[in-house]
Amino acid sequence: MSEKSTGSEGVDRDEQLTVVHVVRHGEVDNPDGVLYGRRPGYHLSDLGRKMADRVAEHLEKRDITHVVASPLERAQETADPIAQAHGLDLATDARLIEAANVFEGKTFGVGDGALRKPDNWKHLTNPFKPSWGEPYIEQVVRMMGAIDTARDAARGHEAVCVSHQLPIWILRSFVERRRLWHDPRKRQCTLASLTSFTYRGDKIVSVGYSEPARDLVPVHLLAGAKPVKGKAAKGQSKAFGA
């Protein structure tokens, strides 16, 4: 008869609870509203740093034993205060990176005329894949790999992975068995939010969502908010490529 494996605390490995919090980074300094995607050089704004500190405070008393982030600056800067609060080295996992997008470097929002440009039409033929960027299923594969690795690193405790809005939402949609194509305006993944996956052993048994920095997030960037147009949009940050 085979013996069941146990964790370091004598708990049956198949029954051990591990929580992986997947955090969206804070607000980025992007006054021109560029869809920055995977481009380097985009750092947190002053407000974004306050959001990162808020998340660190929110998680300060949690049993965090592993912190890892996307290689992009905005994710690293969001993860750093969390790692420092727990006396941990910050790890990097390229699988947590933002989704690739052919429109990187461009302003591509409501009212800028991008959809009327013939050169862009060839990229807009299939919203179900999507045809303008990294296929949703590829995002699922890499994100599941990243959080499973974080789970293994923090087995029986909690881990934090800092990533980006679209990959986080696609990951959650897959776990909750929703279709992967969706209306981007309805993603429940606000800046500095936590999407938390609880594992029992190797199996995800629940998904939670929280917004510890909600009061710091500009209203027009909250989930479900209507796009800001015209004069009202001047001086307001945009979430492009977030």
Side-chain angles (χ1 to χ4, degrees):
M1 182 181 296
S2 62
E3 296 182 0
K4 289 185 177 181
S5 61
T6 59
S8 58
E9 299 174 356
V11 179
D12 180 354
R13 182 185 176 95
D14 293 336
E15 294 299 318
Q16 274 189 321
L17 293 180
T18 307
V19 180
V20 179
H21 305 282
V22 186
V23 179
R24 182 184 172 193
H25 62 78
E27 184 192 62
V28 175
D29 185 13
N30 182 25
D32 296 325
V34 173
L35 197 158
Y36 38 80
R38 294 180 173 181
R39 292 187 163 214
Y42 285 89
H43 298 265
L44 293 182
S45 65
D46 289 341
L47 180 59
R49 294 182 184 280
K50 291 180 181 178
M51 292 177 183
D53 289 340
R54 176 70 64 80
V55 174
E57 292 171 7
H58 177 74
L59 294 172
E60 187 175 8
K61 295 183 179 180
R62 303 293 299 230
D63 184 22
I64 308 294
T65 62
H66 181 67
V67 181
V68 60
S70 154
L72 296 174
E73 293 96 334
R74 56 193 185 272
Q76 295 275 316
E77 291 165 2
T78 300
D80 187 60
I82 302 171
Q84 288 190 32
H86 292 274
L88 299 170
D89 291 332
L90 174 58
T92 299
D93 190 330
R95 293 173 295 184
L96 294 170
I97 200 167
E98 174 63 289
N101 192 305
V102 298
F103 296 111
E104 284 182 15
K106 301 179 181 179
T107 55
F108 191 77
V110 176
D112 66 2
L115 293 176
R116 295 195 296 271
K117 298 176 182 177
D119 288 347
N120 290 334
W121 294 349
K122 63 179 179 292
H123 300 300
L124 303 171
T125 57
N126 186 357
F128 306 106
K129 187 179 179 179
S131 52
W132 55 83
E134 182 183 11
Y136 292 138
I137 192 61
E138 291 183 11
Q139 295 179 53
V140 168
V141 171
R142 64 177 173 84
M143 289 294 288
M144 283 298 302
I147 68 169
D148 282 352
T149 297
R151 173 208 62 206
D152 290 341
R155 180 83 64 172
H157 304 278
E158 301 183 29
V160 173
C161 299
V162 181
S163 187
H164 308 265
Q165 185 191 53
L166 179 55
I168 296 172
W169 181 248
I170 292 301
L171 171 66
R172 179 178 172 185
S173 296
F174 174 78
V175 171
E176 295 183 333
R177 299 185 178 182
R178 287 193 302 274
R179 67 190 185 198
L180 301 183
W181 58 273
H182 60 283
D183 181 343
R185 297 169 298 180
K186 297 182 179 179
R187 294 172 189 158
Q188 189 183 40
C189 190
T190 297
L191 290 165
S193 62
L194 282 70
T195 301
S196 302
F197 300 86
T198 298
Y199 288 81
R200 185 180 299 278
D202 292 341
K203 182 180 180 181
I204 295 174
V205 293
S206 68
V207 180
Y209 178 77
S210 59
E211 298 176 352
R214 184 180 177 87
D215 61 304
L216 299 177
V217 179
V219 174
H220 70 288
L221 296 182
L222 294 171
K226 295 181 179 179
V228 180
K229 302 178 182 179
K231 294 181 179 179
K234 291 185 177 181
Q236 297 213 34
S237 62
K238 301 179 181 180
F240 293 115

